Structures are given as C-alpha cells and as structure tokens.
Amino acid sequence: IENNKIDVLALSLVQWLDGFSIDLEFLKKIKILYPHVLIIADGTQFCGSTNFDFNNSGIDVLGASAYKWLLAGYGNGFMLFSDQVENEFDLNTIGFNAADGNFDKKNSIRFAKQFEPGHLSSMNFGSLKFSIDFFGRIGMERIAEHNGNLSLMAKTEFKKLGLLTDRVENRKSHSTIFNIKANDAMYQKLLENDVFCAQRGDGVRLSFHFYNTESEIDAIVKILKTGR
C-alpha cells in the first residue's frame, strides 16, 4: 500500500472457488494504519455464515448477493456503506426509481438510495427479510459457533487425507467452503452417495452450513477413504 500508493483495496471476504477466508482483523489493521484507503468487499460467500459487525469491520463498502449463505433466493442482494464513503464518491447517474421518478431530486436523495437502479422486486426483498428474521431467531452467535466447529472438523479430516492445498492448510482459520483434491471418479462417487458438491477448478467443492452436522462430515470422510 505504501510503495504503490494504493487508494482502493477490493477483495472477496471468502473466495468462492476454495473458501479462502480473509482475516477481518487484518482489514481492521489496514484501516487503522491507512485510514485513507477505501476497502471494498464482496460478502456473497461470507454473509450469513458467521457473526459480523459492519460498523467495526474497517470495511467501507460491502456488497453481497443473498442467495448463498443467507438462503434468500436469487435476484436480490444489498450494499452497506461506511460514513466515509459518501464524501469519496461522485455518482454520474442514478436509477429512475431512486429519484422516485423525479430527476430534480438527484442531488437531494440519501446516498444509499442513489444505488437503487430501477424496478425493484418487493417479493425478493421479502424473502431476504424472512431469512434475516429466521437467522435472528436461531441466533447468529449459535450459527457462527456451529459453522466454526464444522469448518475446523472438515479441515482437520481433509488435511489428514492430504486433500487440501498448502495455502488452505497453513491458514489459522478457514471458511466452511473447501475445494478438495478429487478426480472425476471421486466426484461421481460422492454424487452417488447423495453428497451435493460441485467440480470447481481441479477439484471438488464441498460447502457446509448450520443445517449440516458433524456426522455428515464423518460420512463424507468415509466415502473419500473408501474411494481412494
């Protein structure tokens, strides 16, 4: 950042391909050392998987689709902005509905609303609200603890089998997404045993959420062992 005079840092909090997770304390440290740097984060593979406080994250802009861990279906998402951002951006255009059909309001509407592009789906937003309320009833602390236990267990077992890359093995913490070393035959064996997974890159991606259990990870490990 110092050597290259970087003003904007844009990154995914969790990488969709292999679950590589950014240390949030690292981002907070960057913000303290370089308060002028705008940190823009993609939270699609992150939001809903663990506890998160945007106001204390050091992140300036967070955008996320809600279909993934928030379980809110396709076609909706959201963006969060820190107080600093409004003074850093100058929007050239806004959506028709953002100004309520009156472009004379362009310079008077609140900052966040300027990013609403056009015709919005109240049903889609309703599905997001339903999920957020549902997560709230369960408790994000409980979800975060459960997912953390699943991640640790999966990482430990996959590491024993030599199925993880060095960059994942050497991280102190990881998300609930794993891309394991597996060929086509192993992928088919997992599918045949009712394991929902996907071929991504050179491996197979497995993902876990609060509705999964440790016994399910045990079952996957047994399949992986018998298929080698």
Side-chain angles (χ1 to χ4, degrees), residues 149-220:
N149 291 335
L150 292 180
S151 175
L152 180 60
M153 179 181 179
K155 182 179 179 181
T156 300
E157 295 300 325
F158 296 157
K159 183 178 179 179
K160 288 179 183 177
L161 296 174
L163 299 178
L164 301 178
T165 61
D166 290 341
R167 82 171 195 151
V168 171
E169 282 193 5
N170 295 331
R171 298 286 288 177
K172 291 181 180 179
S173 62
H174 190 73
S175 69
T176 55
I177 301 173
F178 293 86
N179 194 320
I180 62 172
K181 301 172 184 176
N183 56 24
D184 290 342
M186 178 56 71
Y187 172 61
Q188 292 302 323
K189 187 172 183 65
L190 289 167
L191 293 181
E192 291 167 3
N193 284 273
D194 297 325
V195 177
F196 289 90
C197 54
Q199 285 184 307
R200 292 290 183 266
D202 296 326
V204 171
R205 189 181 65 188
L206 297 164
S207 304
F208 306 100
H209 205 3
F210 66 85
Y211 45 73
N212 292 118
T213 64
E214 293 184 355
S215 62
E216 289 175 329
I217 295 179
D218 280 331
I220 290 173

Side-chain angles (χ1 to χ4, degrees), residues 59-209:
I59 297 170
D60 292 294
V61 180
L62 184 140
S65 296
Y67 75 92
K68 191 69 177 184
W69 304 115
L70 283 168
L71 311 178
Y74 293 114
N76 67 67
F78 59 91
M79 297 189 74
L80 305 176
F81 303 93
S82 70
D83 293 334
Q84 175 186 351
V85 172
E86 187 170 358
N87 298 322
E88 300 288 342
F89 282 81
D90 183 17
L91 275 69
N92 293 322
T93 185
I94 61 172
F96 181 76
N97 282 358
D100 297 325
N102 182 358
F103 281 118
D104 291 336
K105 294 182 178 180
K106 179 174 183 269
N107 297 318
S108 62
I109 61 176
R110 60 189 176 87
F111 180 72
K113 195 174 182 182
Q114 296 178 36
F115 289 84
E116 295 181 2
H119 299 288
L120 307 176
S121 171
S122 57
M123 182 175 292
N124 281 1
F125 292 147
S127 70
L128 175 57
K129 183 180 185 304
F130 180 90
S131 282
I132 291 174
D133 290 342
F134 178 63
F135 279 51
R137 291 194 297 271
I138 297 173
M140 278 309 303
E141 290 186 0
R142 291 178 61 193
I143 291 174
E145 181 180 7
H146 181 74
N147 284 349
N149 291 335
L150 292 180
S151 175
L152 180 60
M153 179 181 179
K155 182 179 179 181
T156 300
E157 295 300 325
F158 296 157
K159 183 178 179 179
K160 288 179 183 177
L161 296 174
L163 299 178
L164 301 178
T165 61
D166 290 341
R167 82 171 195 151
V168 171
E169 282 193 5
N170 295 331
R171 298 286 288 177
K172 291 181 180 179
S173 62
H174 190 73
S175 69
T176 55
I177 301 173
F178 293 86
N179 194 320
I180 62 172
K181 301 172 184 176
N183 56 24
D184 290 342
M186 178 56 71
Y187 172 61
Q188 292 302 323
K189 187 172 183 65
L190 289 167
L191 293 181
E192 291 167 3
N193 284 273
D194 297 325
V195 177
F196 289 90
C197 54
Q199 285 184 307
R200 292 290 183 266
D202 296 326
V204 171
R205 189 181 65 188
L206 297 164
S207 304
F208 306 100
H209 205 3

